[in-house]
């Protein structure tokens, strides 16, 4: 039975509203002040609190702020006879679920209470879902996915360095978490650094830290990721994007398990297991002079390849239903189902963005269809329909059309590899930036500034 706490300094309102809610099957408790409500919350569990703003002593907004910090906090609906937009906005920012004005409409009150109870149920379900499915859980029953889990189980307990290969969006970070979770270091920290997201001038300080005054504007020391990961696992994502200068320092740190923070004379010693990942072919990068061969051999102790989603299409239905449940809970919405027709369309789409793209599509559908209980093929985005069938040479009516299709897919792939950075992608493709923009517009690729 759902439990409701009514907090109002007017005894008649407490009694009449309590009677209505009890008739609806709720178990109701009453409080005449914010202080009394806080005492009750610390001793009992409530699903929803109906909280008047104008209370003697501690007012409703002060009470709201404290109640929302309680362990297993209830959903809180604010009530006011002198409401204003500013008050409603402040209450919402403090975590109120909804706002009711006096005199209360019983019909509206019952609807709001019902919605608040459902929102709390979904919030708790989401917590339980995340507890039962910790980060590092790999979803899927295809042969490649089963092989992934077997490989992880074999090599995770060792201290060997791991180099994870895979296209963007395949789940390399998830694999790194799984390796840590099943390793002997699982009770220690997992520290992640995306080497592509940090400017070259700062990555050394990010990895190794710095001491006071070592960098312009630095007023206090920073502990680097190598030091923070001491005793645990350090995940170097997009490791091929490090400069050669930084690569040399990482190589030395791996060899000696020791490094010197920027601006310090005293070396720091650490015990770190390094797991690295890349979406590039490092042998090609070595031949181009972009990656150190000696660092490659240090990292590539246990090579690990994550197959793209198109090579494990059997996992798409399971992943889709998993994401539907996860994202519905995240947005406190009812769990969604999906029709077999819609699944069939998803199975035919080639997923160039891999698992990340699939999750983004599911999230978009949940957001854009808030009242839909069952996802049908009509709810899928146009791109999935348009490219649902993989194009072959027979699908094109002219050489120009075939060339344009290939160019479009190739540019999208390179943009994904370079995290949407148009300047860097243009450089990789050997194009001027202005030419790159024109090419993207001609091929119908959205330009995001």
């Amino acid at each position: 039975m759902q439990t409701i706490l009514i907090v109002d300094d007017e005894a008649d309102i407490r009694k009449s509203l309590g009677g209505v809610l009890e008739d609806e099957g709720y178990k109701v408790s009453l409080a005449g002040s914010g202080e009394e409500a806080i005492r009750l919350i610390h001793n009992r569990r409530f699903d929803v609190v109906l909280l008047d703003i104008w209370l003697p002593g501690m007012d409703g907004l002060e009470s709201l702020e404290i109640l929302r910090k309680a362990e297993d906090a209830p959903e809180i609906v604010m009530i006011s006879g002198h409401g204003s937009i500013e008050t409603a906005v402040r209450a919402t920012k403090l975590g109120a679920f909804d706002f009711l004005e006096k005199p209360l409409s019983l019909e509206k009150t019952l609807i709001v209470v019902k919605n608040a109870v459902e929102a709390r149920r979904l919030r708790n379900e989401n917590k339980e879902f995340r507890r039962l499915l910790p980060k590092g859980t790999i979803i899927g029953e295809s042969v490649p996915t089963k092989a992934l889990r077997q490989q992880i189980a074999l090599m995770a307990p060792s201290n060997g360095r791991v180099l994870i290969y895979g296209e963007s969006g395949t789940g390399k970070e998830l694999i790194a978490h799984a390796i840590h979770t099943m390793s002997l270091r699982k009770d220690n920290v997992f520290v992640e650094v995306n080497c592509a997201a940090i400017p070259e001038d700062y990555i050394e300080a990010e990895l190794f830290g710095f001491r006071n005054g070592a960098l312009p504007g630095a007023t206090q020391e920073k502990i680097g990721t190598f030091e923070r990961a001491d005793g645990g696992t350090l995940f170097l994502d997009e490791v091929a994007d490090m400069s050669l200068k930084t690569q040399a320092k990482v190589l030395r740190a791996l060899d000696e398990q020791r490094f010197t923070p920027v601006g310090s004379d005293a070396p720091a010693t650490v015990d770190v297991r390094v797991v690295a990942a890349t979406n590039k072919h490092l042998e090609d990068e070595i031949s181009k002079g972009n990656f150190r061969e000696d660092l490659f051999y240090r990292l590539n102790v246990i090579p690990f390849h994550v197959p793209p989603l198109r090579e494990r299409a059997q996992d798409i239905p399971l992943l889709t239903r998993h994401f539907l449940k996860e994202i519905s809970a995240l947005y406190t919405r009812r769990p969604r189902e999906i029709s077999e027709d819609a699944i069939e369309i998803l199975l035919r789409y080639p997923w160039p963005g891999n698992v990340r793209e699939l999750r983004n599509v599911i999230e978009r559908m949940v957001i854009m269809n808030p009242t839909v209980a069952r996802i049908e093929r009509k709810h899928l985005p146009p791109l999935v329909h348009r490219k649902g069938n993989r194009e072959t040479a027979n699908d094109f009516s002219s050489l120009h059309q075939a060339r344009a299709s290939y160019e479009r897919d190739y540019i999208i792939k390179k943009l994904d590899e370079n995290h949407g950075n148009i300047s860097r992608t243009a450089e990789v493709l050997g194009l001027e930036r202005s030419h790159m923009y024109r090419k993207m517009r001609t091929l119908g690729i959205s330009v995001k500034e």
Side-chain angles (χ1 to χ4, degrees):
M1 179 183 291
Q2 285 84 26
T3 53
I4 311 293
L5 174 61
I6 300 172
V7 187
D8 198 300
D9 60 334
E10 297 183 49
D12 289 344
I13 291 179
R14 293 198 304 269
K15 185 177 179 181
S16 61
L17 185 55
V20 170
L21 291 171
E22 284 177 342
D23 289 343
E24 292 295 318
Y26 297 109
K27 183 177 181 180
V28 177
S29 296
L30 308 175
S33 67
E35 291 86 351
E36 186 181 356
I38 290 167
R39 285 195 297 272
L40 286 171
I41 286 284
H42 285 153
N43 295 318
R44 297 171 59 184
R45 170 193 165 280
F46 292 96
D47 293 296
V48 177
V49 174
L50 296 173
L51 177 62
D52 190 26
I53 285 183
W54 305 106
L55 294 170
M58 181 185 293
D59 69 23
L61 291 177
E62 290 178 273
S63 304
L64 166 64
E65 197 166 3
I66 295 172
L67 293 173
R68 287 298 295 164
K69 293 177 182 177
E71 185 178 351
D72 196 21
E75 293 294 342
I76 300 176
V77 177
M78 304 303 294
I79 301 175
S80 175
H82 311 282
S84 67
I85 293 175
E86 291 79 9
T87 304
V89 168
R90 187 179 169 203
T92 302
K93 286 183 177 179
L94 289 173
F97 176 78
D98 209 335
F99 195 91
L100 293 171
E101 290 188 66
K102 293 179 180 178
L104 296 174
S105 160
L106 292 181
E107 183 180 359
K108 183 177 180 182
T109 301
L110 291 175
I111 290 172
V112 169
V113 168
K114 181 181 178 182
N115 290 340
V117 167
E118 178 67 7
R120 189 174 191 279
R121 185 190 69 77
L122 289 171
R123 178 155 54 90
N124 288 338
E125 185 179 280
N126 188 28
K127 286 181 183 177
E128 182 66 9
F129 178 75
R130 292 181 182 277
R131 185 185 69 81
L132 295 174
L133 200 70
K135 202 160 188 177
T137 302
I138 299 167
I139 306 297
E141 291 301 324
S142 67
V143 172
T145 301
K146 288 179 179 178
L148 274 180
R149 287 197 286 263
Q150 289 174 355
Q151 286 177 277
I152 292 170
L154 282 172
M155 54 90 150
S158 75
N159 268 321
R161 297 185 194 114
V162 180
L163 184 55
I164 305 171
Y165 298 89
E167 296 176 8
S168 292
T170 50
K172 297 187 289 296
E173 179 189 354
L174 181 69
I175 299 299
H177 272 283
I179 291 168
H180 174 73
T181 301
M182 297 179 68
S183 75
L184 301 176
R185 299 169 180 260
K186 64 183 178 182
D187 295 326
N188 295 323
V189 292
F190 177 92
V191 179
E192 176 185 353
V193 56
N194 188 328
C195 302
I198 303 171
E200 184 178 333
D201 294 342
Y202 294 97
I203 191 165
E204 184 181 341
E206 180 66 28
L207 292 173
F208 304 114
F210 56 80
R211 298 299 179 246
N212 290 348
L215 296 175
T219 58
Q220 58 184 10
E221 70 176 36
K222 174 182 174 65
I223 304 299
T225 50
F226 264 90
E227 198 166 351
R228 285 196 285 121
D230 188 21
T233 302
L234 175 60
F235 177 46
L236 298 177
D237 197 11
E238 306 301 350
V239 69
D241 285 48
M242 286 193 300
S243 68
L244 290 170
K245 177 185 173 184
T246 305
Q247 290 175 34
K249 297 198 173 184
V250 170
L251 174 67
R252 183 176 178 185
L254 294 180
D255 279 343
E256 301 178 2
Q257 289 282 291
R258 187 173 61 178
F259 60 90
T260 303
V262 179
S264 174
D265 295 326
T269 301
V270 293
D271 171 24
V272 173
R273 182 187 192 181
V274 172
V275 176
T278 180
N279 59 15
K280 297 181 179 179
H281 297 286
L282 289 189
E283 292 88 344
D284 293 343
E285 296 300 308
I286 291 168
S287 65
K288 294 175 186 175
N290 296 332
F291 201 81
R292 293 181 62 111
E293 187 172 12
D294 45 6
L295 178 58
F296 170 73
Y297 290 125
R298 299 300 191 285
L299 294 173
N300 199 45
V301 176
I302 306 174
F304 199 90
H305 177 71
V306 185
L309 186 56
R310 61 183 174 274
E311 293 180 10
R312 45 188 172 116
Q314 185 184 339
D315 294 337
I316 290 173
L318 278 174
L319 285 166
T320 297
R321 292 185 172 95
H322 164 74
F323 290 143
L324 276 172
K325 183 174 182 180
E326 177 190 53
I327 295 165
S328 295
L330 182 65
Y331 289 97
T332 60
R333 294 178 180 171
R334 292 180 180 277
R336 311 297 172 86
E337 296 181 358
I338 186 165
S339 70
E340 290 303 320
D341 280 353
I343 288 288
E344 191 61 35
I345 296 292
L346 296 179
L347 283 168
R348 292 205 300 265
Y349 182 66
W351 299 107
N354 292 294
V355 179
R356 184 189 298 134
E357 184 184 11
L358 174 62
R359 190 188 188 283
N360 289 345
V361 165
I362 302 303
E363 183 170 12
R364 190 184 321 155
M365 288 191 295
V366 170
I367 292 170
M368 299 303 293
N369 300 282
T371 61
V372 171
R374 181 182 173 89
I375 300 294
E376 305 286 351
R377 60 185 298 162
K378 66 182 179 181
H379 299 122
L380 299 177
L383 178 68
V384 176
H385 285 286
R386 188 168 64 248
K387 297 186 69 177
N389 293 300
R390 292 178 176 83
E391 293 162 332
T392 66
N394 294 328
D395 295 321
F396 303 112
S397 58
S398 67
L399 178 62
H400 174 76
Q401 192 180 74
R403 186 191 300 119
S405 177
Y406 174 79
E407 280 189 339
R408 187 178 191 282
D409 289 347
Y410 186 72
I411 289 173
I412 289 173
K413 181 175 183 294
K414 290 302 177 185
L415 279 167
D416 194 39
E417 288 176 359
N418 290 285
H419 309 283
N421 187 309
I422 294 175
S423 297
R424 190 182 298 175
T425 304
E427 185 180 344
V428 168
L429 296 175
L431 298 173
E432 293 291 334
R433 182 183 171 91
S434 58
H435 186 195
M436 178 73 177
Y437 273 107
R438 287 197 299 274
K439 177 69 73 174
M440 289 172 67
R441 290 192 178 97
T442 300
L443 297 171
I445 302 170
S446 62
V447 179
K448 296 180 181 178
E449 299 291 349

